[in-house]
Amino acid sequence: MSESNTKEVVTRFPPSPTGNYHVGAARSTLFNWLFAKQHGGRMVLRFEDTDVERSKREYADNIKEGIEWLGIDYDGPYFQSERTDIYRSYLEKLIKSGAAYLSDESATDGGRDEVIRFKNPNITIEFVDEIRGTVSVDTADLGDFVIAKSLDEPLYHLAVVVDDHEMGITHVLRGEEHIANTPRQILLIEALGIKRPVYAHIPLILGDDGKKLSKRHGATSLSEFRDLGVLPEGMVNYLALLGWHPQDEQEIFTPEELLTAFSLERVQKGPATFSLEKLRWVNRQHILDMDEEAFYDHVRGVIPADIKKLPQFDLKRLRQALPILKERTEVLSDITQMAAAGELEFLFEAPNYSASDIVWKEDEPQDTANYLREVLTHWEALLADDFTPKTLRDAVWDYASEVGRGSVLWPTRFAISGLKQSPGPFEIAAAVGKEEALSRLKVAVEKLSNET
């Protein structure tokens, strides 16, 4: 941390409420929050809504909801549109000192009669970027830039500088696209005689085509990922990996672990690439680490109504199915998709099929009936409380290996699920429970026996 800032660390996330909360903004929020919290500080949420025509409170609400969903706390929110009197006093000060002036724009076609311009001293500005090192810019090319449309209509650069000063912002962490804004803001800081914050510009996020991430790459807003069933802790974990890497090979972090591991020193200069596949993988690790009760609550929230209407639906069996659901879930909407594909009905409704469907490859129906009778014999001996994937496997594995695993395990799995592709026979048998699993095997034996 820079030695020039020895007081409380205060960062800020200052979005323009002109659209929904997206991945790039969320990553900036997270980095600001992690850095501030690491140093015992705080993060300010400030809405830069001076663009009255494009700014909407519904977007501000979407951004706040997204930040809170991520588990990030903040001071505020503050709205620039409510701070006009403060900006006016600074504009008057700049005009009085000669650092700014009223500019007659009447000769410009379609423009305003008058705006307020900053009188550019045409000097070289140098600042230290905590990620990119020393940056030097000749400001002569910037000209006398406009800082307000009027005393009551400040523009971005003036409002940002004033707010950062008034709110005690010590560190400005933002995307690298803002590097070009820094010289103008430093010129204003120098003219007002206030203290510079420390700057750190984090890398761009690109899509898999190497272009800046945008809607053309698919989902980019936090609400879309939340609807997809990404967990907040999974999202936080993945966002942290977009432009930052830890000292070791660890990739899965809780928010608490990130607060310890994160550092600006390990934020890369080059762009980060967003990968939905990697996000799903990261989220899956958090689902696998989730305790049963938490996962159960999530599952109950996404099970469709038509599944709940099935005759044998009950919460006990849903709970028994948690292991196979967890194993197949990367994001929670995967469960909804399984239901839509008819892959969950067998949990709550006995399958309907013909005897010919259940026979393995070149086997005869009578052989398959005999194999299933043997499975029944072994499984009937198990106690209901001991009807687990492990004990079910142990009970028939040697037999299945002896006569042919496909010949035994395929019909067992199909008899219970009615699906050609499903989790393993032991997992689904445990999920439906002893009574139901044995009942379905007996039905299969009867179907096969009737074929001979």
Side-chain angles (χ1 to χ4, degrees), residues 173-187:
L173 280 61
R174 56 189 180 184
E176 68 173 66
E177 65 270 25
H178 288 283
I179 291 178
N181 295 328
T182 307
R184 289 182 176 86
Q185 292 166 12
I186 290 177
L187 287 175

Side-chain angles (χ1 to χ4, degrees), residues 71-82:
I72 292 175
D73 62 296
Y74 54 83
D75 280 8
Y78 302 95
F79 292 84
Q80 287 184 336
S81 59
E82 299 171 355

Side-chain angles (χ1 to χ4, degrees), residues 189-217:
I189 287 170
E190 304 265 325
L192 289 168
I194 57 180
K195 189 174 183 179
R196 289 188 196 182
V198 175
Y199 294 99
H201 291 92
I202 58 183
L204 289 174
I205 300 176
L206 307 180
D208 53 13
D209 59 358
K211 297 180 180 179
K212 186 176 179 181
L213 189 68
S214 67
K215 288 184 178 180
R216 69 175 177 272
H217 295 103

Side-chain angles (χ1 to χ4, degrees), residues 31-308:
F31 281 21
N32 273 281
W33 180 76
L34 288 172
F35 183 81
K37 288 295 182 180
Q38 277 187 330
H39 296 95
R42 54 194 172 86
M43 184 192 78
V44 170
L45 174 59
R46 182 178 76 218
F47 287 105
E48 298 184 341
D49 60 343
T50 54
D51 186 341
V52 178
E53 293 182 358
R54 296 177 61 218
S55 297
K56 295 182 180 180
R57 280 301 173 105
E58 66 191 68
Y59 292 136
D61 291 341
N62 178 270
I63 293 168
K64 286 190 294 181
E65 289 169 6
I67 293 172
E68 291 163 8
W69 176 71
L70 291 172
I72 292 175
D73 62 296
Y74 54 83
D75 280 8
Y78 302 95
F79 292 84
Q80 287 184 336
S81 59
E82 299 171 355
R83 298 168 57 80
T84 305
D85 290 345
I86 297 173
Y87 306 133
R88 170 187 274 268
S89 66
Y90 281 86
L91 283 167
E92 290 173 340
K93 179 179 179 180
L94 287 169
I95 292 171
K96 184 176 181 180
S97 70
Y101 61 93
L102 298 175
S103 174
D104 183 0
E105 307 286 312
S106 57
T108 304
D109 292 338
R112 284 174 169 260
D113 290 340
E114 193 174 68
V115 297
I116 301 173
R117 289 184 177 273
F118 178 75
K119 187 174 178 59
N120 190 344
N122 299 325
I123 59 175
T124 296
I125 290 292
E126 188 172 279
F127 64 95
V128 176
D129 186 298
E130 295 292 291
I131 295 171
R132 299 166 188 281
T134 301
V135 179
S136 183
V137 179
D138 183 353
T139 65
D141 293 338
L142 302 179
D144 289 359
F145 52 92
V146 180
I147 57 174
K149 295 177 181 179
S150 70
L151 286 172
D152 293 319
E153 299 173 283
L155 295 180
Y156 169 72
H157 293 297
L158 185 281
V160 166
V161 166
V162 171
D163 283 341
D164 285 351
H165 173 64
E166 290 278 327
M167 296 176 182
I169 304 302
T170 60
H171 291 73
V172 172
L173 280 61
R174 56 189 180 184
E176 68 173 66
E177 65 270 25
H178 288 283
I179 291 178
N181 295 328
T182 307
R184 289 182 176 86
Q185 292 166 12
I186 290 177
L187 287 175
L188 287 166
I189 287 170
E190 304 265 325
L192 289 168
I194 57 180
K195 189 174 183 179
R196 289 188 196 182
V198 175
Y199 294 99
H201 291 92
I202 58 183
L204 289 174
I205 300 176
L206 307 180
D208 53 13
D209 59 358
K211 297 180 180 179
K212 186 176 179 181
L213 189 68
S214 67
K215 288 184 178 180
R216 69 175 177 272
H217 295 103
T220 60
S221 72
L222 263 286
S223 55
E224 289 176 289
F225 289 115
R226 182 173 54 193
D227 293 344
L228 185 65
V230 176
L231 302 174
E233 52 267 42
M235 196 75 216
V236 164
N237 189 161
Y238 182 66
L239 289 172
L241 300 176
L242 289 176
W244 169 82
H245 55 92
Q247 290 184 336
D248 53 26
E249 297 302 312
Q250 182 177 350
E251 290 189 286
I252 304 306
F253 294 86
T254 65
E256 294 73 23
E257 289 172 332
L258 284 173
L259 282 170
T260 300
F262 181 81
S263 68
L264 286 182
E265 289 76 11
R266 301 198 70 81
V267 174
Q268 65 195 42
K269 296 179 183 179
T273 300
F274 181 86
S275 167
L276 180 59
E277 181 181 358
K278 183 63 176 286
L279 169 59
R280 289 178 65 98
W281 179 84
V282 169
N283 197 68
R284 170 175 164 74
Q285 309 315 307
H286 286 275
I287 286 177
L288 291 174
D289 288 342
M290 190 180 294
D291 65 54
E292 180 182 299
E293 203 60 37
F295 185 61
Y296 178 56
D297 288 341
H298 282 298
V299 171
R300 282 197 301 172
V302 298
I303 286 289
D306 57 342
I307 293 293
K308 295 178 181 178

Side-chain angles (χ1 to χ4, degrees), residues 284 288 295 299 317-329 335 338 343-344 346-347 389 417 422-432:
R284 170 175 164 74
L288 291 174
F295 185 61
V299 171
R317 191 172 294 179
L318 180 63
R319 189 181 284 277
Q320 290 173 179
L322 291 180
I324 63 176
L325 292 177
K326 179 180 278 193
E327 184 61 32
R328 301 179 68 193
T329 301
I335 297 172
M338 287 181 229
E343 297 174 9
L344 299 185
F346 79 89
L347 292 169
S417 69
S422 75
F426 313 121
E427 289 74 20
I428 61 176
V432 300

